[in-house]
Amino acid sequence: MGILDLFKLDGKTAIVTGCGRGLGLGIARGLAEAGADILGVGRALEASECEKAVESCGRKFHYMEADLKSQKCIPEIIEKAVAAFGRLDILVNNAGIIRRADSLDFTGEDWDEVMDVNLKSLFFLSQAAAKQFIKQGSGGKLIHIASLLSFQGGVRIPSYTAAKSGVRGLTMLMANEWARYGINANAIAPGYFETDNTQALRADAARNAEITGRIPAGRWGVPRDLAGTAVFLASAASDYLNGFTIAVDGGWLGR
Ligand code: NAP
């Protein structure tokens, strides 16, 4: 097999949470371009932009409306993927939220909501996918969307920092426990990307200029910037890469 063939995802099936917009949409499009069929998950009633993007690559798209604040929907997500495609090969845990407030005033509600979506559901959805991978007997790929806050402290986002630091730790733990089954667990830590999640930051002219000035690449990322790393981590090209969080940040962490 030639080296570029290792990156192909033909015949593979992937779940992408938060596929309707932002980074999840960019990742779903990238995986479909590489050959994967996609089950998208999100809170919205539909994900028509993602559906169009995946189908225009000649791949199949199914969607499940689910709120990952609770873990009740998790068994059904796996069942839907297996019913639609016959198997599951890749899980991208992308859905995530952020709450901003001074740590002195931070509420329990803002703590729980972020931890539930960004960390607890990520763990239990990965557990359910890993069980399916083990049942199939041919390994699988877990890809978590971490953050710069998996490496840095940040300000005014305590639950987000706790959750994303937890994602980096769990990525290593999952590799330690599940590599023996041919499962790879890796994470991508995006730098500053232009999505709804960063709308407030970008709208603040002073903060925007400060951030852009610190990014060695001199610009914010766009969802397309993540697709190559996602395809790599979903493919056989990364079979010996496990437990690692890769920063895709225009050089931010090296500064
Ligand atoms: P976004 O544009 O705000 O999109 C968030 C996505 O997550 C949406 O598709 C949303 O679904 C889904 N989602 C949120 N809460 C959910 C819930 N309770 N149940 C199901 N789906 C839920 O954010 P984004 O920037 O693309 O962020 C995607 C991931 O990257 C997040 O984990 C975020 O923390 C991480 N990240 C982003 C940046 C950045 O600069 N943008 C940097 C580092 C890390 P609906 O559309 O259906 O609501």
Side-chain angles (χ1 to χ4, degrees):
M1 195 187 277
I3 189 69
L4 290 180
D5 293 321
L6 287 182
F7 291 82
K8 290 186 177 162
L9 301 178
D10 297 305
K12 303 284 183 194
T13 73
I15 294 171
V16 180
T17 67
C19 71
R21 56 197 166 102
L23 303 185
L25 174 59
I27 291 168
R29 179 182 276 132
L31 297 183
E33 279 181 52
D37 293 326
I38 309 288
L39 175 84
V41 178
R43 280 173 308 190
L45 285 179
E46 50 172 30
S48 52
E49 203 178 338
C50 191
E51 182 173 359
K52 257 187 245 149
V54 171
E55 291 182 352
S56 73
C57 302
R59 308 313 320 173
K60 293 194 194 95
F61 180 79
H62 288 260
Y63 180 71
M64 180 171 155
E65 182 198 343
D67 188 343
L68 287 164
K69 189 171 157 26
S70 145
Q71 291 73 49
K72 277 194 215 118
C73 56
I74 286 174
E76 200 189 335
I77 294 174
I78 305 293
E79 280 160 26
K80 277 237 159 119
V82 175
F85 306 127
R87 58 178 293 109
L88 177 65
D89 302 292
I90 301 153
L91 166 65
V92 182
N93 277 305
N94 164 77
I97 54 171
I98 194 162
R99 295 286 177 266
R100 296 177 194 278
D102 288 343
S103 289
L104 288 175
D105 304 323
F106 211 76
T107 64
E109 200 179 31
D110 282 348
W111 180 272
D112 288 343
E113 203 171 342
V114 171
M115 293 297 268
D116 283 342
V117 177
N118 295 15
L119 193 62
K120 190 171 180 184
S121 287
L122 175 144
F123 174 75
F124 284 103
L125 190 52
S126 300
Q127 180 196 63
K131 285 182 180 170
Q132 179 62 29
F133 295 156
I134 292 166
K135 197 157 104 187
Q136 292 169 186
S138 48
K141 304 282 187 177
L142 300 171
I143 303 169
H144 310 311
I145 303 306
S147 165
L148 296 175
L149 287 315
S150 305
F151 297 92
Q152 302 180 309
V155 278
R156 304 184 73 246
I157 45 173
S159 55
Y160 191 81
T161 301
K164 294 297 186 179
S165 297
V167 168
R168 180 163 166 241
L170 285 179
T171 301
M172 295 186 273
L173 173 138
M174 289 176 194
N176 292 341
E177 292 199 31
W178 299 338
R180 77 187 71 154
Y181 301 110
I183 296 172
N184 297 76
N186 290 295
I188 300 173
Y192 286 88
F193 275 69
E194 293 174 5
T195 68
D196 295 346
N197 181 300
T198 54
Q199 174 59 36
L201 274 185
R202 284 180 293 119
D204 179 337
R207 193 80 179 95
N208 192 336
E210 194 187 321
I211 289 168
T212 310
R214 195 193 176 284
I215 301 172
R219 66 169 178 88
W220 288 60
V222 293
R224 186 70 175 164
D225 288 317
L226 280 194
T229 309
V231 168
F232 169 56
L233 291 180
S235 74
S238 62
D239 274 354
Y240 201 61
L241 202 168
N242 224 334
F244 203 70
T245 299
I246 300 177
V248 179
D249 64 352
W252 176 278
L253 280 182
R255 184 99 180 233

